[in-house]
Amino acid sequence: MPAVVLSAATLGIDAYLVHVEVDTDRQLPSFTVVGLPDSAVRESKERVMAALRNAGYEWPRRRVTVNLAPADIRKEGSAFDLPIAVGILAASGQLRPSRLGDFALVGELSLDGALRPVHGALSAALGLKARGTHGMILPQANAPEAALAAGPLIYGVATLTQAVDLLEGDCRLAPFTADLDALFNPTLQHEADFAEVCGQEHAKRALEVAAAGGHSVLLSGPPGSGKTLLARRLPSILPALSMEEALNATQIYSAAGLLPADQPLVVTRPFRAPHHTISDAGLIGGGACPRPGEVSLAHHGVLFLDELPEFKRTVLEALRQPLEDHTVTIARAAFSLTYPARFMLVAAMNPCPCGFLGDSYHPCTCSPSLIRRYRARLSGPLLDRLDLHVEVPALSYPEIFARQGGEPSAQIRQRVEAARQRQRARFAQQPGFFCNAQLRPRQLRACCALTGKGEELLRAASTRLGLSARAHDRILKVARTIADLGGIDHIQAQHLSEAIQYRSLDRRG
């Protein structure tokens, strides 16, 4: 009689149930896996056969057929080793199948019967929780991660034998529980601090505004002016992750196989800084088996693109959709995946190819045509989607060697969190809105009403700078954030003035 073992697999960061059906019949010995398996699943025969024999079990001298249902979804990875092995034992009468229906099993087998960790354990546990599954058996290394779901009872086992004993009731193993209070510590200190940055008060103020409203930033300045230094300290002034945000980020890192073994939960906002040679698939996500790209790995955190004009144009243009929709959809012939991508984009660039345009300490050697070609690498639609354009000038000698540092990140973060609290209160009746950068046209009109003087100022700026409708809306959002930082309910002329001067590239145009 066929044996059925419940398992789970991930498609993107979403999980779905897989029924591993195993049948043995009296024909010439063979092993067949059906149900759209990839090469890693097909190779499970050798791993499962060696693991069963080395663990003291017998490989049935019959034809073994394994069906992974639903059969119309491609199965990938090595997580089906454990359920296939248990299914073979149940179908051949070496395991009592009475408790198989109570547990879902995932795990990769080594040749000696030990269990190795797999990707996507948290997503699988969350999927099983939604379906009311009683328990889950998986490798010990994945137990702390899966227990974060607070769903099915999580049993981390070290070997195939231990899993079989647990299913037969011969092993009294307590379910693993996660201590969220110990894991989730939003008061963790950042190694980088704004107190280490001397000078550049204008740029630090711009990053404070960006952090308070979740706005994207473009830093422009000569080499050595501190653009990278400033960008790497931005996470230290962002509000702490909420538990929901931490779980979302952990799901992505788990699906990508990037979750550290000693850190089952992502507790600080991600900071991703890919090199400018990155491909479209590396930044956005993709591949034969679509994996999350850098924009998704930066979910709820910061994506830093240094030397922005050096990135391939196709890569930069691919950023336009996630900047607007906060998701990435990867379409294939048979399916499509959607990954979340709600990140703060921070980009840095030189004002010209040599980097010294406008620098009072070094002469620029670039011709006007060369400068135009350099800036033309960034399209107008992409620049429109960047809320703040900030000039970072070269530091003078006294600023470089100043002994007194700047304001600590902790003090700046207090103001940022106060501004975010005002925004959360404003959007309390609008689920899914957390900061001003998310404002849509309808909310923009309601939250960013201007006085007569403010309308006149914005009209004059739009006419003089030739602002697009999108740039106009970005200025309003930034002005709303500046007012929130000041604890003021209505946008005033000085808030608009500051927001307008954060459009330096528009002023150049």
Side-chain angles (χ1 to χ4, degrees):
M1 181 177 178
V4 180
V5 181
L6 185 64
S7 186
T10 56
L11 195 60
I13 62 170
D14 298 318
Y16 63 96
L17 295 183
V18 176
H19 292 83
V20 180
E21 303 169 345
V22 181
D23 181 62
T24 60
D25 55 26
R26 296 179 180 274
Q27 295 191 31
L28 291 175
S30 64
F31 182 88
T32 305
V33 181
V34 296
L36 288 182
D38 72 345
S39 58
V41 179
R42 288 193 295 269
E43 290 173 355
S44 64
K45 172 188 175 181
E46 309 302 331
R47 295 190 297 270
V48 171
M49 181 184 296
L52 288 175
R53 288 175 175 170
N54 290 324
Y57 302 102
E58 294 183 1
W59 180 264
R61 297 184 178 181
R62 298 185 175 192
R63 185 176 73 173
V64 178
T65 304
V66 179
N67 178 42
L68 305 177
D72 60 340
I73 302 178
R74 186 169 181 80
K75 315 303 186 305
E76 299 168 333
S78 57
F80 297 110
D81 288 3
L82 178 60
I84 289 174
V86 170
I88 291 173
L89 292 177
S92 61
Q94 300 179 69
L95 180 151
R96 299 188 297 274
S98 57
R99 300 188 67 194
L100 277 183
D102 295 336
F103 297 94
L105 288 77
V106 296
E108 177 186 336
L109 286 170
S110 63
L111 300 184
D112 61 356
L115 281 174
R116 290 175 173 157
V118 294
H119 300 168
L122 176 57
S123 294
L126 289 170
L128 294 171
K129 175 184 178 181
R131 292 161 179 80
T133 305
H134 171 70
M136 184 178 184
I137 300 176
L138 75 173
Q140 276 183 342
N142 290 125
E145 171 193 345
L148 297 173
L153 299 178
I154 302 299
Y155 294 91
V157 296
T159 64
L160 171 62
T161 301
Q162 192 176 10
V164 172
D165 291 344
L166 181 62
L167 289 169
E168 292 189 325
D170 298 333
C171 175
R172 297 182 178 275
L173 182 66
F176 190 94
T177 57
D179 186 354
L180 292 180
D181 292 334
L183 290 173
F184 185 65
N185 183 5
T187 62
L188 290 175
Q189 298 296 319
H190 293 268
E191 293 183 3
D193 196 285
F194 269 98
E196 303 162 351
V197 182
C198 299
Q200 303 296 13
E201 299 303 324
H202 172 70
K204 287 190 282 189
R205 166 64 178 177
L207 290 180
E208 179 180 341
V209 172
H215 302 290
S216 53
V217 188
L218 174 61
L219 303 174
S220 176
S225 58
K227 303 184 295 295
T228 302
L229 188 76
L230 288 162
R232 292 190 177 278
R233 279 148 183 78
L234 180 58
S236 68
I237 63 173
L238 290 173
L241 282 172
S242 66
M243 177 55 73
E244 180 182 0
E245 290 173 331
L247 287 175
N248 289 342
T250 302
Q251 274 188 274
I252 297 171
Y253 275 73
S254 175
L258 298 176
L259 198 63
D262 59 344
Q263 184 183 332
L265 181 68
V266 175
V267 295
T268 58
R269 294 194 179 271
F271 181 88
R272 305 293 299 184
H275 193 260
H276 63 78
T277 56
I278 192 170
S279 66
D280 305 32
L283 186 67
I284 303 301
C289 170
R291 290 168 51 87
E294 292 292 335
V295 296
S296 295
L297 294 172
H299 186 54
H300 293 313
V302 176
L303 176 66
F304 176 50
L305 302 183
D306 202 2
E307 303 296 341
L308 187 66
E310 302 301 328
F311 285 78
K312 291 187 293 186
R313 190 179 182 91
T314 55
V315 173
L316 294 180
E317 293 305 305
L319 280 172
R320 288 159 61 174
Q321 184 221 348
L323 281 173
E324 288 289 335
D325 301 335
H326 309 299
T327 59
V328 169
T329 300
I330 304 170
R332 292 293 180 266
F335 61 91
S336 64
L337 297 178
T338 298
Y339 287 110
R342 186 177 299 282
F343 58 91
M344 279 185 62
L345 175 62
V346 180
M349 62 176 287
N350 295 329
C352 65
C354 77
F356 297 114
L357 180 66
D359 188 349
S360 56
Y361 302 100
H362 301 86
C364 175
T365 59
C366 304
S367 65
S369 60
L370 191 61
I371 295 173
R372 284 195 299 270
R373 286 198 300 270
Y374 180 74
R375 292 179 179 174
R377 297 178 187 177
L378 306 179
S379 68
L382 177 61
L383 291 176
D384 264 356
R385 287 171 169 81
L386 299 174
D387 297 346
L388 287 80
H389 306 162
V390 183
E391 293 182 349
V392 185
L395 292 172
S396 64
Y397 182 89
E399 290 175 319
I400 294 175
F401 292 96
R403 294 186 178 182
Q404 183 177 2
E407 187 178 14
S409 293
Q411 294 182 15
I412 303 175
R413 186 167 59 248
Q414 289 179 356
R415 297 194 295 269
V416 168
E417 290 177 341
R420 286 286 185 105
Q421 183 58 42
R422 292 178 63 88
Q423 294 164 51
R424 285 192 292 268
R426 183 183 301 123
F427 306 136
Q429 305 302 320
Q430 303 177 43
F433 282 83
F434 306 101
C435 58
N436 290 329
Q438 298 175 255
L439 287 172
R440 299 298 183 187
R442 180 181 300 177
Q443 291 82 15
L444 196 65
R445 289 191 294 270
C447 300
C448 302
L450 299 178
T451 62
K453 187 176 181 180
E455 288 184 355
E456 182 180 348
L457 175 62
L458 187 54
R459 186 183 303 111
S462 298
T463 302
R464 185 173 66 255
L465 301 179
L467 299 177
S468 67
R470 183 181 288 114
H472 174 277
D473 290 348
R474 303 280 171 176
I475 288 175
L476 284 178
K477 293 177 186 180
V478 173
R480 176 67 270 173
T481 299
I482 295 170
D484 288 335
L485 278 170
I488 299 174
D489 293 330
H490 301 288
I491 298 176
Q492 299 179 1
Q494 64 265 30
H495 305 142
L496 273 174
S497 297
E498 184 176 353
I500 292 169
Q501 58 97 17
Y502 289 135
R503 302 293 301 186
S504 62
L505 294 184
D506 293 323
R507 295 200 302 272
R508 290 179 189 171

